[in-house]
Amino acid sequence: MRMNLLFAIDDNVSTQLMTCLYSIVKNTPNEKFDAYVIQKDKLKSTAEIESFCGKIGVNYHAIIVDPKIFADAPTTDRYPETIYYRLLAHEYLPKSVNRILYLDVDILVINSLKQLYNKQLGDNLYAASSHSGLTNNMTEQFNKLRLGNYEAESYYNSGVLLMNLDAIRETVKATDIFDYIKENSLTLFLPDQDVLNALYGNKIVKVPDELYNYDARMSSIYNLLGDGKWDLDWVIDNTVILHFCGRDKPWKREYNSRYAGLYKHYAHRASMLINEKIMEN
Amino acid sequence: MRMNLLFAIDDNVSTQLMTCLYSIVKNTPNEKFDAYVIQKDKLKSTAEIESFCGKIGVNYHAIIVDPKIFADAPTTDRYPETIYYRLLAHEYLPKSVNRILYLDVDILVINSLKQLYNKQLGDNLYAASSHSGLTNNMTEQFNKLRLGNYEAESYYNSGVLLMNLDAIRETVKATDIFDYIKENSLTLFLPDQDVLNALYGNKIVKVPDELYNYDARMSSIYNLLGDGKWDLDWVIDNTVILHFCGRDKPWKREYNSRYAGLYKHYAHRASMLINEKIMEN
């Protein structure tokens, strides 16, 4: 089967894109991948990424967007305009693509993506996970209040987002998004995620975060939530996507959490493949 | 190139053998492997191991030894008689094999074995690492005194042992080993390792333990010894063999050290391959 993957990056994280792709291919057997990478300007590392994708059998598709479209979107160092690209990806993707899995590049895939990718979506726009269970209920209520969305089941994390593109093309409009950003820009903490939740939170299928969007900072909390069942062995055997949320990133030298060794090993193996022109066993 | 690998196991650790082999194949590109596995009785899991080796492209050779030979060797639960097999492997291996790398099964290979395997041995019998730098100098002196071997450079760990079989066939004699065991059995803490050091410690080429026999319990000590340079990133990029020495083993559920996630992930991927008849990307 073929799976469509979506990323939105700039040159600062092209290595992380390759680590992420490498982990996907190694841990999702019997599948082939098309990777669509939305970018503002053609990435400087395009040749390297194309060569790497060739080595791991991934079809690479660069999608260059017109930056003028996002001129009014609020951005910071932490939240560059590339974070908005995911919400309007359907405007840039080929019409033939009707399902795609968007992924942040600060994730590592450690088991097969197949079950997530094939999730039944019905009339919904997205499948996503919530990290609300990891924080207290106040935060959840505050987010719903802040965003004025009482129908949504949860406040969803936008880092892993399975997209039902046919439905999205009918529903998600750039004008709605930009109007919302303009009207609410002062109260947005995590801009694209807030837009997703406020406008489309009631059209999202919830998938378990302990499987598909495991916040790697929170291993002791998961252990408590799972009544001791969601320990390291369980995560290794069951969790599909580790998400290295927050400011501490596993590609930094000082990063040293429970999953640091695993991430760094995948990053190292990907870099060996990038640099040494080896074929793998 | 072909590499010869040697193991000595019983049925209790056949899964660990497969995890170890899997890590070797995945992290040693462009090489082919012959795995010789010395065993007392034909392993119950022989068909499973053969099938697994077929999937990862390793030639499996079972070597059944006559247990009577070791009837007099001192054994315990922790040190079964299989630990002696390595010292007499040359008596069971085909004459055509002139170099082989013996490995304990409580190791994980995270970078290519090629440089170690091709180490120049000259007239020496073995290449091995010492963990003496991790303990204090007293232990080192005590071991040399205890074993009566003042010529040896170090007290060597026998868990990773590159063997120069042509030289070993001329020098290492079963009668010498059994005589030594009989005469010294009360003072031996780590029986086979003590024999190796006492009888042949002065014919061993020393290779750095931080590369080829990294004691996974000791990450903070390595960090000190390497003046802060041998941190997690350095180990991931440079270390070839992680050795999970001691009683706490990474296949146990409660094991939770810095390299636990990495080991458990390899164990999980190997078990997926064993059980699910998948071919890998």
Side-chain angles (χ1 to χ4, degrees):
Chain A
M1 208 188 73
R2 296 207 75 84
M3 274 187 203
N4 300 311
L5 304 173
L6 177 65
F7 301 90
I9 70 162
D10 59 28
D11 271 304
N12 295 318
V13 291
S14 58
T15 303
Q16 289 80 344
L17 169 70
M18 290 186 272
T19 298
C20 178
L21 281 172
Y22 185 79
S23 74
I24 291 170
V25 170
K26 290 295 158 186
N27 291 302
T28 309
N30 309 318
E31 307 288 330
K32 296 290 170 196
F33 301 93
D34 284 278
Y36 294 88
V37 179
I38 305 186
Q39 46 207 273
K40 186 172 164 181
D41 303 301
K42 189 179 174 186
L43 297 168
K44 292 188 189 77
S45 49
T46 296
E48 192 173 78
I49 297 172
E50 282 178 333
S51 161
F52 181 78
C53 284
K55 288 174 186 172
I56 59 172
V58 167
N59 288 340
Y60 176 73
H61 309 268
I63 297 180
I64 319 287
V65 300
D66 181 354
K68 287 183 200 132
I69 296 174
F70 297 95
D72 294 339
T75 65
T76 67
D77 281 353
R78 189 160 179 208
Y79 301 109
E81 71 181 52
T82 49
I83 64 168
Y84 297 102
Y85 296 174
R86 75 193 79 178
L87 294 181
L88 294 172
H90 55 288
E91 304 213 346
Y92 312 108
L93 288 165
K95 289 283 174 290
S96 59
V97 178
N98 50 39
R99 174 174 292 231
I100 200 164
L101 177 62
Y102 169 84
L103 297 169
D104 281 350
V105 290
D106 58 352
I107 67 141
L108 192 72
V109 171
I110 61 170
N111 277 295
S112 175
L113 285 174
K114 191 170 178 176
Q115 278 203 298
L116 173 62
Y117 192 84
N118 293 327
K119 183 85 187 167
Q120 292 282 344
L121 293 175
D123 293 334
N124 290 289
L125 304 177
Y126 306 100
S129 295
S130 167
H131 288 153
S132 305
L134 300 174
T135 54
N136 59 46
N137 215 31
M138 285 286 284
T139 312
E140 172 92 338
Q141 296 308 322
F142 174 66
N143 274 327
K144 283 189 183 172
L145 191 68
R146 181 169 64 87
L147 301 171
N149 185 341
Y150 299 101
E151 290 171 67
E153 197 189 341
S154 288
Y155 182 79
Y156 292 99
N157 180 282
S158 63
V160 176
L161 209 51
L162 179 65
M163 298 181 171
N164 183 1
L165 286 171
D166 293 336
I168 289 171
R169 286 185 184 103
E170 285 177 19
T171 311
V172 177
K173 304 295 174 200
T175 49
D176 293 345
I177 292 173
F178 294 131
D179 286 350
Y180 185 83
I181 292 173
K182 273 180 220 155
E183 288 165 19
N184 296 277
S185 55
L186 286 177
T187 59
L188 298 178
F189 292 160
L190 300 163
D192 70 305
Q193 193 160 287
D194 281 354
V195 174
L196 176 80
N197 279 280
L199 293 182
Y200 310 110
N202 57 348
K203 301 288 270 179
I204 299 178
V205 176
K206 190 174 182 176
V207 292
D209 58 318
E210 68 272 18
L211 292 178
Y212 300 119
N213 199 333
Y214 181 99
D215 186 335
R217 293 172 299 187
M218 300 292 185
S219 47
S220 51
I221 308 283
Y222 281 110
N223 226 340
L224 286 173
L225 289 175
D227 288 330
K229 187 175 75 99
W230 297 342
D231 62 1
L232 177 58
D233 282 59
W234 188 91
V235 170
I236 292 293
D237 290 349
N238 294 283
T239 297
V240 176
I241 298 175
L242 296 179
H243 192 175
F244 295 90
C245 302
R247 286 183 184 274
D248 293 334
K249 294 304 189 193
W251 49 85
K252 292 186 181 170
R253 188 132 199 153
E254 65 273 16
Y255 187 86
N256 205 357
S257 86
R258 179 182 281 185
Y259 298 98
L262 192 51
Y263 184 90
K264 287 173 188 289
H265 179 64
Y266 271 91
H268 172 64
R269 285 187 58 182
S271 86
M272 296 280 286
L273 201 55
I274 295 165
N275 297 319
E276 301 198 9
K277 302 180 176 64
I278 53 169
M279 292 306 289
E280 291 201 295
N281 288 325
Chain B
M1 209 190 71
R2 297 207 73 84
M3 274 188 202
N4 300 311
L5 304 172
L6 177 65
F7 301 90
I9 70 162
D10 59 27
D11 270 305
N12 295 318
V13 291
S14 58
T15 304
Q16 290 81 344
L17 169 71
M18 290 187 271
T19 299
C20 178
L21 282 172
Y22 185 79
S23 75
I24 290 169
V25 169
K26 291 294 157 188
N27 291 301
T28 308
N30 309 318
E31 307 288 331
K32 296 289 169 195
F33 301 93
D34 285 277
Y36 294 87
V37 180
I38 304 186
Q39 46 206 273
K40 185 172 164 182
D41 304 300
K42 189 179 174 185
L43 296 168
K44 293 188 189 75
S45 49
T46 295
E48 191 173 78
I49 297 173
E50 281 179 334
S51 161
F52 181 77
C53 285
K55 288 176 186 171
I56 60 172
V58 167
N59 287 340
Y60 175 73
H61 309 269
I63 297 181
I64 318 288
V65 299
D66 181 352
K68 288 184 199 130
I69 297 174
F70 297 95
D72 293 339
T75 65
T76 66
D77 280 353
R78 190 161 177 205
Y79 300 108
E81 70 180 53
T82 49
I83 65 167
Y84 296 102
Y85 295 174
R86 76 192 78 178
L87 294 181
L88 294 172
H90 54 289
E91 305 212 346
Y92 312 110
L93 288 166
K95 289 284 175 287
S96 59
V97 178
N98 50 38
R99 174 173 290 233
I100 201 164
L101 178 62
Y102 169 83
L103 296 169
D104 280 351
V105 291
D106 57 353
I107 68 142
L108 193 73
V109 170
I110 62 170
N111 278 295
S112 175
L113 286 174
K114 191 170 179 177
Q115 278 203 298
L116 173 63
Y117 192 83
N118 293 325
K119 182 84 185 166
Q120 291 282 343
L121 294 175
D123 293 333
N124 289 289
L125 305 177
Y126 306 99
S129 295
S130 167
H131 289 154
S132 305
L134 300 174
T135 54
N136 58 47
N137 215 31
M138 285 286 285
T139 313
E140 173 91 337
Q141 296 308 321
F142 174 67
N143 275 327
K144 284 189 182 173
L145 191 68
R146 182 169 64 87
L147 300 172
N149 185 342
Y150 300 101
E151 292 170 68
E153 196 189 340
S154 288
Y155 182 79
Y156 292 99
N157 180 281
S158 63
V160 176
L161 209 52
L162 180 64
M163 298 182 172
N164 183 1
L165 287 172
D166 292 337
I168 289 171
R169 286 187 183 101
E170 286 175 19
T171 310
V172 177
K173 303 297 174 197
T175 50
D176 294 344
I177 292 173
F178 295 131
D179 286 350
Y180 184 83
I181 291 173
K182 275 179 216 153
E183 288 163 20
N184 296 277
S185 55
L186 285 175
T187 60
L188 297 177
F189 292 159
L190 302 163
D192 71 306
Q193 193 159 288
D194 281 353
V195 174
L196 176 80
N197 280 280
L199 293 182
Y200 310 111
N202 56 349
K203 302 288 270 177
I204 299 178
V205 176
K206 191 174 179 176
V207 293
D209 58 318
E210 68 272 18
L211 292 178
Y212 301 119
N213 199 333
Y214 181 100
D215 185 335
R217 294 171 298 187
M218 301 292 185
S219 48
S220 52
I221 307 283
Y222 281 109
N223 226 340
L224 285 173
L225 288 176
D227 289 330
K229 189 173 74 94
W230 297 342
D231 62 2
L232 176 58
D233 282 59
W234 188 91
V235 170
I236 292 293
D237 290 350
N238 295 283
T239 297
V240 176
I241 297 176
L242 296 179
H243 191 175
F244 295 89
C245 302
R247 286 183 185 275
D248 293 334
K249 295 303 188 194
W251 49 85
K252 292 184 181 170
R253 188 132 198 153
E254 65 274 16
Y255 188 84
N256 205 356
S257 86
R258 180 181 280 186
Y259 299 99
L262 193 51
Y263 184 90
K264 288 173 187 290
H265 179 64
Y266 271 91
H268 172 64
R269 284 187 57 183
S271 85
M272 296 279 286
L273 202 54
I274 295 166
N275 297 321
E276 299 199 9
K277 301 180 179 66
I278 53 168
M279 293 306 288
E280 290 201 296
N281 288 327

